Amino acid sequence: MGSRTVSKDIITLRGSAAIVCEFFGYAANSILYNRGIYPEESFVKVKKYGLPMLLTQDEGVKSFLAGLTSQLTEWMEAGKLQRVVLVIMSRTTMEVLERWNFSIQTDAEVVEKGLIKEKSDKEIMREIQAIMRQIASSITYLPCLDEPCVFDVLAYTDMDVAIPFSWIESDAKLIKNPQMVKLHSFDTKIHKVDTLVSYKNDEQD
Amino acid sequence: MILRTPVPKKRKPESVVENLHSPVSDRRLVLYEEPGPVIAVEPSDEMVCTYHCRQMVKSEFMVALNNAEKQVAEYQAKLELLNNDLTQSEDERTKFRDSVLSLEQKLEATKGREQALQERLLKEVDEFMERYKEQVKRCSELEVQLSKEVDSRKKAELSFTSAKERVTDLEGRLQRLSDSAEREKNTLKEELQHLQDDSKLSARKMTADLERMTLRSECSERESELLKKQLNDLRKQLDECLCEKNALEQKLATYPIPSQESTSSGDKNLVRYLQEQIRGYEAEVQEARKFKAFHTNSELLKEKLIEEKGRREKVEAELSKLQDVQLSAQKLELELVSWKSLLEELPDVSSLNDIPKRFAALQKEAIQNMMEVSEVKAQLKQLEVALELGENKRQHYEKESGLEKQRANNAVLEAKRLQMMLSSVTEERDRLKKEATMLSKLKNSNESGLPNETLVKDLESSLADRENTIKELQNNLHEQQGVVNHLHDELKILSEQLSSEARRVKSLEREGDRLRAEISLLESKLGHGDYSAANTKVLRMVNTLAVDNETKHTIDSLREELKKTQSKLQAIEELKGQSDAANIIDDGIPEILAQLKSQIATLEKREERLLWMISNGLMEFMSHVLFYNLYMLKVMMKNLSLSMNREIPTYWLTTTLLNQK
């Protein structure tokens, strides 16, 4: 899991980046399951954050997410990552239906000087658990996705970041006049992650 | 202490009583003997006695009398003393009465003062209550005003946010339109250049055609000149022929006719022959002329044809271009319409030239807004800190005002307690009055002096006590007045401070609400996905999920083809082994087989590498490479099959052909 010291109250930059990327991986899987992007039978239940979490068994999705999270970890350790957005689009029209926005605020001092911070692991886990519960309960107010959908992941980085081989520049894939719901946030004292979901207003249809 | 009149002593014989009322009013006890008959008096033994007894009685009587006289004298002395004491007590009583009256006056004065104090206190309490009610009313009114202002501010903020959103949308549209306009400009420039080039080319073509035409015209002119010369020559010849004819005719006419009949037929035949020749020549000349005309016409027609062909080609080219130009014109018209509509929508923009200025202005506004947002955030933090401080101060002042109110209530309670004490003092005073009346009654009865002493002492002690209590009450009153005044002053100061703090808190709350609204707006923008292109770029991982599926299929198909090629190679090797003796087998086939084997090996290696590259995400390129290699294989197989056409069984060829298909 990252360079976390034996004492669980101390958190380093690498450890915090690992926590955040792991959270993103599980959150992405939870969103894919809850929004029905992939069939339910392709998911397997595991225990994480004190909750039963669902992970996809599709090799393609797994490899995609694995490559994604590795690159996100690298950017986060360099302090270059500003935001990660999971976009859900219609397969036929490629219209953007939902945007799961994860804003990341990094403590620049930690990145520059390599400081360490103190925060209880349990408290971080509790905060992440609250967000996961909110993601699971989001189906109560999010509009139903009746058509087959695909997902994509956007990364907002600093301008001086070199674009890796398997990445390309893209537009922001915005939704026009969206409805927005702000979820909880969690803080590792090095990275603060705010979660927000914006979706296409159903009344416009 | 209640003075009780002492119980008068029991009267001695009635004679003593009667003697009190006797004319002898010197208040001396005189024994009196009635000489009259003894009525219901028990005769004493002494009186019934004899003379001796009488003497004895007389002596005893005399002794008793002396004693009585002595007693009388003593009593008189005591009486005098008592009288003196009485007078003294009366004097003291008068004094005490005066003191009591003065005390009563003082009491009444203190009463009046207390009443005045109470009234003042009550008035002040009423005033405070009224002020408190007014303050509460003002607070409620201010809260109502605050809510109204908050609502109006929210509306203004909503309109401001909507206007900002419109501005951002318009900015986005403007950017896109500017980009599209620039692209269109570039395309139009390119088209212009193309058109210019085409026009230059056409001009060159036209010049070339012109040159050709000029050359042709020169050639035709030369030909025409030649023809004219020929014509002239022919005309000359004709004329010469006609002249000769005329000359001949004249000669014929001038010649004599020796034998006209014999020669006339010959001449006629000659003439006819000549006429026929002339006609023939004329016909030939006419034909020549016609041919010449046809020739010129044909040449002209050819030239015209060529011209027309050229024109047709040009027109066709220009027609094709015209369609493109029409499409571009339609696009430009649509864009113009959109631009015009956008110009109409955009405020402060009247022409295209104003748009860049408007862009610059909007960008400046956006930058300023960003700076203002940062400043606002800093101000919000400061205001939040100040708000917390103000709230703490307000709570502190509220606590102090509560304490002051409690103190005021305590002062009121103290005043009430003093009232109670005053009432008790008045009761005591009344009691004293009663006792004074009792004293006066006792004085009138004047039975004994002893009770007066105790009464006086009690009165003195009670009066001293009352004076002490009155002094204490006065001191308490003074203290309470001082405390109340101090409390009033503190209350005033606290109320002023409370009002100022309340105003400050309200202003801070307004600022905080405004800043929170701005922050929420900015957060909504962030949540919407807006970002600064100068600081942020959006990257997307190439979604290899679909590609991976396709590449999987390609990999499977490639594997199958590999297997087939391997089987084919095996068959070829078998055939090679079978047809070793034949001369049809080429020397190059083993080499080809070796090549194929090496290719298969490389393909297998490549397949492994492909599988490895799938995990790294380079499938597309490798699949293309594979396809290319397979294609090369197939080509080589085809060549092989063609070279070994006779020996290879047909089903192998068909299978290969089918697989190739």
Side-chain angles (χ1 to χ4, degrees), chain A residues 38 60-61 82-83 99 151-152 154-159 161 165-170 172 174-175 178 180 196, chain B residues 523-531 533-545 548 552 617-618:
Chain A
Y38 289 93
V61 179
Q82 297 174 8
R83 215 190 297 189
R99 291 179 98 253
F151 81 100
D152 204 348
L154 306 176
Y156 288 57
T157 63
D158 293 348
M159 286 301 287
V161 161
F165 179 69
S166 56
W167 290 74
I168 54 172
E169 281 204 49
S170 166
L174 301 175
I175 299 172
M180 284 182 273
L196 184 140
Chain B
E523 282 178 351
S524 67
K525 280 188 181 177
L526 279 170
H528 184 248
D530 291 339
Y531 62 97
N535 302 327
T536 309
K537 61 182 172 185
V538 181
L539 301 174
R540 182 174 75 85
M541 191 166 160
V542 174
N543 196 337
T544 58
L545 293 168
D548 285 338
K552 278 181 185 172
L618 294 173

Side-chain angles (χ1 to χ4, degrees), chain A residues 155-202:
Chain A
Y156 288 57
T157 63
D158 293 348
M159 286 301 287
D160 57 348
V161 161
I163 302 173
F165 179 69
S166 56
W167 290 74
I168 54 172
E169 281 204 49
S170 166
D171 65 322
K173 296 188 190 293
L174 301 175
I175 299 172
K176 196 177 176 184
N177 295 327
Q179 289 285 323
M180 284 182 273
V181 177
K182 195 170 186 318
L183 308 184
H184 288 311
S185 61
F186 78 94
D187 188 3
T188 65
K189 295 289 186 187
I190 295 173
H191 295 105
K192 188 182 175 195
V193 180
D194 293 309
T195 311
L196 184 140
V197 58
S198 58
Y199 56 95
K200 184 182 165 187
N201 198 349
D202 221 354

Side-chain angles (χ1 to χ4, degrees), chain A residues 9-21:
Chain A
D9 289 334
I10 294 171
I11 293 176
T12 62
L13 174 64
R14 195 179 271 187
S16 177
I19 290 167
V20 175
C21 289

